[in-house]
Coordinates of all heavy atoms in Angstrom, one line a residue:
M1 N -6.2 -25.0 18.8 CA -5.5 -23.7 18.6 C -6.4 -22.6 18.6 O -7.5 -22.7 18.0 CB -4.7 -23.9 17.3 CG -3.6 -22.8 17.2 SD -2.7 -22.9 15.6 CE -1.8 -24.4 15.9
K2 N -6.0 -21.5 19.2 CA -6.9 -20.4 19.2 C -7.0 -19.6 17.9 O -6.0 -19.4 17.2 CB -6.4 -19.3 20.3 CG -7.3 -18.3 20.6 CD -7.1 -17.6 21.9 CE -8.0 -16.6 22.4 NZ -9.2 -16.4 21.7
E3 N -8.2 -19.2 17.5 CA -8.4 -18.6 16.3 C -8.0 -17.1 16.4 O -8.2 -16.4 17.4 CB -9.8 -18.7 15.8 CG -10.1 -20.2 15.4 CD -11.5 -20.2 14.9 OE1 -12.4 -19.5 15.3 OE2 -11.8 -21.0 13.9
K4 N -7.4 -16.6 15.3 CA -7.0 -15.2 15.3 C -7.6 -14.6 14.1 O -7.9 -15.3 13.1 CB -5.5 -15.0 15.3 CG -4.8 -15.5 16.5 CD -3.3 -15.4 16.3 CE -2.6 -16.0 17.5 NZ -1.2 -16.2 17.2
A5 N -7.7 -13.2 14.0 CA -8.3 -12.6 12.9 C -7.2 -11.7 12.2 O -6.4 -11.0 12.9 CB -9.4 -11.7 13.2
C6 N -7.1 -11.8 10.9 CA -6.1 -11.0 10.2 C -6.6 -9.5 10.2 O -7.6 -9.2 9.9 CB -6.1 -11.5 8.7 SG -5.0 -10.5 7.7
K7 N -5.5 -8.7 10.6 CA -5.8 -7.3 10.6 C -6.0 -6.6 9.2 O -6.6 -5.5 9.1 CB -4.7 -6.5 11.4 CG -4.8 -6.8 12.8 CD -3.6 -6.0 13.5 CE -3.6 -6.3 15.0 NZ -2.5 -5.6 15.7
I8 N -5.5 -7.3 8.3 CA -5.6 -6.7 6.9 C -6.9 -7.1 6.2 O -7.6 -6.2 5.8 CB -4.4 -7.2 6.0 CG1 -3.0 -7.1 6.8 CG2 -4.3 -6.5 4.7 CD1 -2.7 -5.6 7.1
C9 N -7.2 -8.4 6.1 CA -8.3 -8.8 5.3 C -9.5 -9.4 6.2 O -10.5 -9.8 5.7 CB -7.9 -9.8 4.3 SG -7.4 -11.4 4.9
H10 N -9.2 -9.5 7.5 CA -10.2 -9.9 8.5 C -10.5 -11.4 8.4 O -11.5 -11.9 9.1 CB -11.5 -9.1 8.3 CG -11.4 -7.7 8.8 ND1 -12.5 -6.9 9.1 CD2 -10.3 -6.9 9.0 CE1 -12.1 -5.8 9.5 NE2 -10.8 -5.7 9.5
L11 N -9.7 -12.2 7.7 CA -9.9 -13.6 7.7 C -9.6 -14.2 9.1 O -8.6 -13.8 9.6 CB -9.1 -14.3 6.6 CG -9.1 -15.8 6.4 CD1 -10.4 -16.1 5.7 CD2 -8.0 -16.3 5.6
I12 N -10.4 -15.2 9.5 CA -10.1 -15.9 10.7 C -9.1 -17.0 10.4 O -9.4 -17.9 9.5 CB -11.4 -16.6 11.3 CG1 -12.4 -15.6 11.5 CG2 -11.0 -17.3 12.6 CD1 -12.2 -14.6 12.6
V13 N -7.9 -17.0 11.0 CA -6.9 -18.0 10.8 C -6.5 -18.7 12.1 O -6.6 -18.1 13.2 CB -5.6 -17.4 10.1 CG1 -6.0 -16.8 8.8 CG2 -5.1 -16.3 11.0
T14 N -5.9 -19.9 12.0 CA -5.5 -20.7 13.1 C -3.9 -20.8 13.1 O -3.4 -21.2 14.1 CB -6.1 -22.1 13.1 OG1 -5.9 -22.6 11.8 CG2 -7.5 -22.0 13.5
G15 N -3.3 -20.4 12.0 CA -1.8 -20.5 12.0 C -1.2 -19.1 12.3 O -1.7 -18.3 13.0
Q16 N 0.1 -19.0 11.9 CA 0.9 -17.8 12.3 C 0.7 -16.7 11.2 O 1.0 -15.6 11.5 CB 2.3 -18.2 12.4 CG 2.6 -19.1 13.6 CD 2.3 -18.5 15.0 OE1 2.7 -17.4 15.3 NE2 1.5 -19.3 15.8
T17 N 0.4 -17.1 10.0 CA 0.2 -16.1 8.9 C -1.2 -16.3 8.2 O -1.7 -17.4 8.2 CB 1.3 -16.3 7.8 OG1 1.3 -17.6 7.4 CG2 2.7 -15.9 8.4
C18 N -1.6 -15.3 7.6 CA -2.8 -15.3 6.9 C -2.7 -16.0 5.5 O -1.8 -15.4 4.8 CB -3.4 -13.9 6.8 SG -4.9 -13.8 5.7
P19 N -3.4 -17.0 5.2 CA -3.2 -17.6 3.9 C -3.8 -16.8 2.8 O -3.5 -17.0 1.6 CB -4.0 -19.0 4.0 CG -5.0 -18.7 5.1 CD -4.4 -17.7 6.0
N20 N -4.6 -15.8 3.1 CA -5.2 -15.0 2.2 C -4.3 -13.9 1.6 O -4.1 -13.8 0.4 CB -6.4 -14.3 2.8 CG -7.6 -14.2 1.8 OD1 -7.6 -14.9 0.7 ND2 -8.7 -13.6 2.2
C21 N -3.7 -13.1 2.5 CA -2.9 -12.0 2.1 C -1.4 -12.1 2.6 O -0.7 -11.2 2.5 CB -3.5 -10.6 2.6 SG -3.6 -10.6 4.4
K22 N -1.1 -13.3 3.2 CA 0.3 -13.6 3.6 C 0.8 -12.7 4.7 O 2.0 -12.6 5.0 CB 1.3 -13.6 2.5 CG 0.9 -14.2 1.2 CD 0.7 -15.8 1.4 CE 0.2 -16.4 0.1 NZ -0.4 -17.7 0.4
S23 N -0.1 -12.0 5.4 CA 0.2 -11.1 6.5 C 0.3 -11.8 7.8 O -0.3 -12.9 8.0 CB -0.9 -10.0 6.6 OG -0.7 -9.3 7.8
S24 N 1.3 -11.4 8.6 CA 1.5 -12.0 10.0 C 0.9 -11.0 11.0 O 1.0 -11.2 12.2 CB 2.8 -12.3 10.3 OG 3.6 -11.1 10.2
A25 N 0.1 -10.0 10.6 CA -0.6 -9.1 11.5 C -1.9 -9.6 11.9 O -2.9 -9.4 11.3 CB -0.8 -7.7 10.8
L26 N -1.8 -10.5 12.9 CA -3.0 -11.2 13.4 C -3.4 -10.7 14.8 O -2.6 -10.3 15.5 CB -2.8 -12.7 13.5 CG -2.3 -13.4 12.1 CD1 -2.0 -14.8 12.4 CD2 -3.3 -13.1 11.0
S27 N -4.7 -10.7 15.1 CA -5.2 -10.3 16.4 C -6.2 -11.2 17.0 O -7.0 -11.8 16.3 CB -5.8 -8.9 16.2 OG -6.4 -8.4 17.4
T28 N -6.1 -11.4 18.3 CA -7.1 -12.3 19.0 C -8.2 -11.4 19.4 O -9.2 -11.9 19.9 CB -6.4 -12.9 20.2 OG1 -5.9 -12.0 21.0 CG2 -5.4 -14.0 19.8
E29 N -8.1 -10.0 19.3 CA -9.1 -9.1 19.7 C -10.0 -8.8 18.5 O -9.8 -7.9 17.8 CB -8.5 -7.8 20.2 CG -7.6 -8.0 21.4 CD -8.4 -8.3 22.7 OE1 -9.3 -7.5 23.0 OE2 -8.1 -9.3 23.4
Y30 N -11.0 -9.6 18.3 CA -11.9 -9.3 17.3 C -13.4 -9.7 17.7 O -13.5 -10.4 18.6 CB -11.6 -10.2 16.0 CG -11.7 -11.6 16.2 CD1 -12.9 -12.3 15.9 CD2 -10.6 -12.4 16.6 CE1 -12.9 -13.7 16.0 CE2 -10.7 -13.8 16.7 CZ -11.9 -14.5 16.4 OH -11.9 -15.8 16.6
S31 N -14.3 -9.1 17.0 CA -15.7 -9.4 17.4 C -16.5 -9.6 16.1 O -16.3 -9.0 15.1 CB -16.2 -8.3 18.2 OG -16.3 -7.1 17.5
G32 N -17.6 -10.4 16.2 CA -18.4 -10.7 15.1 C -17.8 -11.5 14.1 O -16.7 -11.3 13.5
V33 N -18.4 -12.7 13.8 CA -17.8 -13.6 12.8 C -18.9 -13.8 11.7 O -20.1 -14.0 11.9 CB -17.4 -15.0 13.4 CG1 -17.1 -16.0 12.3 CG2 -16.3 -14.8 14.3
V34 N -18.5 -13.7 10.5 CA -19.3 -13.9 9.4 C -18.8 -14.9 8.4 O -17.4 -14.9 8.2 CB -19.6 -12.5 8.6 CG1 -18.3 -11.9 8.1 CG2 -20.7 -12.7 7.5
I35 N -19.6 -15.8 7.9 CA -19.0 -16.8 7.0 C -19.5 -16.5 5.6 O -20.8 -16.3 5.3 CB -19.5 -18.3 7.4 CG1 -18.8 -18.6 8.7 CG2 -19.0 -19.3 6.4 CD1 -19.4 -19.8 9.4
I36 N -18.6 -16.3 4.7 CA -18.9 -15.9 3.3 C -18.8 -17.2 2.4 O -17.8 -17.9 2.4 CB -18.0 -14.9 2.8 CG1 -17.9 -13.7 3.7 CG2 -18.3 -14.5 1.3 CD1 -19.2 -12.9 3.7
F37 N -19.9 -17.5 1.8 CA -19.9 -18.7 0.9 C -19.7 -18.3 -0.5 O -19.1 -19.0 -1.3 CB -21.3 -19.5 1.0 CG -21.5 -20.1 2.4 CD1 -22.3 -19.5 3.3 CD2 -20.7 -21.3 2.7 CE1 -22.5 -20.1 4.5 CE2 -21.0 -21.9 4.0 CZ -21.9 -21.3 4.9
D38 N -20.3 -17.2 -0.9 CA -20.2 -16.8 -2.3 C -19.9 -15.3 -2.3 O -20.8 -14.4 -2.2 CB -21.5 -17.0 -3.0 CG -21.4 -16.7 -4.5 OD1 -20.4 -16.2 -4.9 OD2 -22.4 -17.1 -5.2
A39 N -18.6 -15.0 -2.4 CA -18.1 -13.6 -2.2 C -18.6 -12.7 -3.3 O -18.8 -11.5 -3.1 CB -16.6 -13.6 -2.2
N40 N -18.9 -13.3 -4.5 CA -19.4 -12.5 -5.6 C -20.8 -12.0 -5.4 O -21.2 -11.0 -6.1 CB -19.2 -13.3 -6.9 CG -17.7 -13.5 -7.2 OD1 -16.9 -12.7 -7.0 ND2 -17.4 -14.8 -7.7
N41 N -21.6 -12.8 -4.7 CA -23.0 -12.5 -4.6 C -23.4 -12.1 -3.1 O -24.6 -12.3 -2.8 CB -23.9 -13.6 -5.1 CG -23.7 -13.7 -6.6 OD1 -23.9 -12.8 -7.4 ND2 -23.2 -14.9 -7.1
S42 N -22.5 -11.6 -2.4 CA -22.8 -11.3 -0.9 C -22.6 -9.8 -0.7 O -21.6 -9.3 -1.1 CB -21.9 -12.1 0.0 OG -22.0 -11.6 1.3
Q43 N -23.6 -9.2 -0.2 CA -23.6 -7.8 0.1 C -22.6 -7.5 1.3 O -21.9 -6.5 1.3 CB -24.9 -7.1 0.4 CG -25.8 -7.1 -0.8 CD -27.2 -6.4 -0.4 OE1 -27.4 -6.0 0.7 NE2 -28.0 -6.3 -1.4
I44 N -22.5 -8.4 2.2 CA -21.6 -8.3 3.3 C -20.1 -8.4 2.8 O -19.3 -7.6 3.2 CB -21.9 -9.5 4.3 CG1 -23.3 -9.4 4.8 CG2 -20.9 -9.4 5.5 CD1 -23.7 -10.6 5.7
A45 N -19.9 -9.3 1.9 CA -18.6 -9.5 1.3 C -18.2 -8.2 0.6 O -17.1 -7.8 0.7 CB -18.5 -10.7 0.3
E46 N -19.2 -7.6 -0.1 CA -18.9 -6.4 -0.8 C -18.5 -5.2 0.1 O -17.6 -4.5 -0.1 CB -20.1 -6.0 -1.7 CG -19.8 -5.0 -2.8 CD -21.1 -4.7 -3.5 OE1 -21.9 -5.6 -3.8 OE2 -21.2 -3.5 -3.8
K47 N -19.3 -5.2 1.2 CA -19.1 -4.1 2.2 C -17.7 -4.2 2.9 O -17.1 -3.3 3.2 CB -20.2 -4.2 3.2 CG -20.4 -2.9 4.0 CD -21.6 -3.1 4.8 CE -21.9 -1.8 5.6 NZ -23.1 -1.8 6.4
L48 N -17.3 -5.5 3.2 CA -16.0 -5.7 3.8 C -14.9 -5.9 2.8 O -13.8 -6.1 3.2 CB -16.1 -7.0 4.7 CG -17.1 -6.9 5.9 CD1 -17.2 -8.3 6.6 CD2 -16.8 -5.9 6.9
Q49 N -15.2 -5.8 1.6 CA -14.2 -5.9 0.5 C -13.6 -7.3 0.5 O -12.3 -7.4 0.4 CB -13.2 -4.8 0.5 CG -13.9 -3.5 0.4 CD -12.9 -2.3 0.4 OE1 -11.9 -2.3 1.1 NE2 -13.2 -1.3 -0.5
I50 N -14.4 -8.3 0.7 CA -13.9 -9.7 0.7 C -14.0 -10.3 -0.7 O -15.0 -10.2 -1.4 CB -14.7 -10.5 1.8 CG1 -14.4 -10.1 3.1 CG2 -14.4 -12.1 1.6 CD1 -15.4 -10.6 4.2
K51 N -12.9 -10.9 -1.1 CA -12.9 -11.5 -2.5 C -13.0 -13.0 -2.5 O -13.3 -13.6 -3.5 CB -11.6 -11.1 -3.2 CG -11.4 -9.6 -3.2 CD -11.8 -8.9 -4.4 CE -11.4 -7.5 -4.5 NZ -11.7 -6.6 -3.4
N52 N -12.7 -13.6 -1.4 CA -12.7 -15.1 -1.3 C -13.6 -15.5 -0.2 O -13.8 -14.9 0.8 CB -11.3 -15.6 -1.0 CG -10.2 -15.2 -2.0 OD1 -10.4 -15.4 -3.2 ND2 -9.2 -14.4 -1.5
K53 N -14.1 -16.8 -0.4 CA -15.0 -17.3 0.6 C -14.2 -17.7 1.8 O -13.0 -18.0 1.8 CB -15.8 -18.5 0.0 CG -15.0 -19.7 -0.3 CD -15.8 -20.9 -0.8 CE -15.0 -22.1 -1.2 NZ -15.8 -23.2 -1.7
G54 N -14.9 -17.8 2.9 CA -14.2 -18.1 4.2 C -14.9 -17.5 5.4 O -16.0 -16.9 5.3
K55 N -14.2 -17.6 6.5 CA -14.7 -17.1 7.8 C -14.1 -15.8 8.1 O -12.8 -15.8 8.2 CB -14.5 -18.2 8.9 CG -15.3 -18.1 10.1 CD -15.1 -19.3 10.9 CE -15.3 -19.1 12.3 NZ -14.8 -20.3 13.2
Y56 N -14.8 -14.8 8.3 CA -14.1 -13.5 8.6 C -14.7 -12.8 9.9 O -15.8 -13.0 10.3 CB -14.5 -12.5 7.4 CG -13.8 -12.9 6.1 CD1 -14.4 -13.9 5.3 CD2 -12.6 -12.4 5.7 CE1 -13.8 -14.3 4.1 CE2 -12.0 -12.8 4.6 CZ -12.6 -13.7 3.8 OH -12.0 -14.1 2.6
A57 N -13.9 -12.0 10.4 CA -14.2 -11.2 11.6 C -14.9 -9.8 11.1 O -14.4 -9.3 10.2 CB -13.1 -10.9 12.5
L58 N -15.9 -9.4 11.8 CA -16.5 -8.1 11.4 C -15.6 -6.9 11.9 O -15.4 -6.0 11.1 CB -17.9 -7.9 12.0 CG -19.0 -8.8 11.3 CD1 -20.3 -8.6 12.1 CD2 -19.1 -8.4 9.9
R59 N -15.1 -7.1 13.1 CA -14.2 -6.0 13.6 C -13.0 -6.6 14.2 O -13.0 -7.6 14.9 CB -15.0 -5.2 14.7 CG -16.0 -4.3 14.2 CD -16.4 -3.3 15.3 NE -17.7 -2.7 14.9 CZ -18.8 -3.2 15.3 NH1 -19.0 -4.3 16.0 NH2 -20.0 -2.7 15.0
V60 N -11.8 -6.0 13.8 CA -10.6 -6.4 14.3 C -9.8 -5.3 15.0 O -9.8 -4.2 14.4 CB -9.6 -7.0 13.3 CG1 -8.3 -7.6 13.8 CG2 -10.3 -8.2 12.5
R61 N -9.4 -5.5 16.3 CA -8.7 -4.4 17.0 C -7.2 -4.6 16.9 O -6.7 -5.7 16.8 CB -9.2 -4.3 18.4 CG -10.4 -3.5 18.5 CD -10.7 -3.3 20.0 NE -11.4 -4.6 20.5 CZ -11.7 -4.7 21.8 NH1 -11.4 -3.8 22.7 NH2 -12.2 -5.8 22.2
Ligands
ZN101 ZN1 -5.3 -11.5 5.7

């Protein structure tokens, strides 16, 4: 299944809705993937305002 990125929280998802924010605003047009292991101690997570660990897109169109 093709991976999509959530337009709201940038989480990479494979289903129809984002398990993180329950949004169905998903896009296949994204670039840059970052994997967050520890959202509390990551500067990238802080910059992207990520609260949970997971795989995220840097940019979503
Ligand atoms: Zn989301």
Side-chain angles (χ1 to χ4, degrees):
M1 197 182 288
K2 193 158 180 15
E3 291 185 323
K4 296 174 189 170
C6 174
K7 287 182 181 177
I8 311 298
C9 68
H10 289 197
L11 182 74
I12 305 288
V13 296
T14 49
Q16 297 297 312
T17 53
C18 172
N20 220 8
C21 60
K22 315 296 179 200
S23 167
S24 57
L26 308 175
S27 174
T28 54
E29 299 287 311
Y30 64 90
S31 62
V33 171
V34 61
I35 297 170
I36 304 296
F37 293 103
D38 187 351
N40 293 320
N41 292 300
S42 169
Q43 290 186 358
I44 302 167
E46 197 183 319
K47 202 171 181 181
L48 297 174
Q49 299 183 320
I50 292 167
K51 306 261 186 317
N52 302 305
K53 67 178 179 179
K55 198 169 152 191
Y56 293 85
L58 286 176
R59 284 194 199 89
V60 183
R61 275 187 283 173

